Amino acid sequence: MPIHLPPLSRRRFLASSAAAAAGLLLPGRSWGADALAPAGGTPVDPDRLALLSDIHVAADPAAVNRGVNMADHLAAAVRAVLDGPARPAGLLVNGDLAYNAGLPGDYATVLAGLAPVRAAGVPVHLTLGNHDDRANFFRAL
């Protein structure tokens, strides 16, 4: 997906700079940080974001490719995200969720693997890559 960055005019630059300066004057806590904190649970670090990239999970959680079981790797990464002293404010899974061709079962396995993160109240953001099939992805959701 191409990303276009338009040229900045002097007026737009000054307006953006003024908005950034105003943001520096706000209190140190992030807005919404209180909304992220679970009652009596592990605290949420509003400045922490967990990133997983190219997870390539197959429909069969036991599938192995090149000596690697990606579903097991996803489970280990999810445990690492949740076992820290503070939960992240969000989890971003960047591209290539599916193993190879974006089969519906791939996404079911991905969602099952991410279930502990969602159950812990951490927002999950997913982006798709060249191995993903958008139609199958949206059907799985």
Side-chain angles (χ1 to χ4, degrees):
M1 167 190 286
I3 297 175
H4 303 281
L5 300 174
L8 286 177
S9 67
R10 184 170 190 264
R11 177 176 289 157
R12 185 173 192 126
F13 174 77
L14 292 173
S16 298
S17 298
L24 293 175
L25 298 175
L26 295 173
R29 290 196 58 162
S30 171
W31 289 3
D34 294 333
L36 294 173
T42 304
V44 175
D45 182 349
D47 299 319
R48 182 174 171 227
L49 179 69
L51 170 66
L52 306 179
S53 190
D54 296 303
I55 60 176
H56 288 282
V57 175
D60 177 8
V64 174
N65 184 29
R66 299 180 186 166
V68 176
N69 179 310
M70 296 307 283
D72 286 349
H73 278 234
L74 176 60
V78 164
R79 280 192 304 276
V81 166
L82 297 177
D83 286 347
R87 301 273 163 85
L91 168 68
L92 172 63
V93 184
N94 182 41
D96 291 339
L97 306 175
Y99 169 62
N100 192 26
L103 302 175
D106 297 348
Y107 300 111
T109 305
V110 167
L111 292 173
L114 295 174
V117 177
R118 296 175 71 200
V122 176
V124 176
H125 308 278
L126 306 170
T127 64
L128 302 180
N130 63 317
H131 288 266
D132 292 307
D133 181 286
R134 277 123 182 95
N136 287 339
F137 172 76
F138 288 118
R139 274 194 292 274
L141 291 180

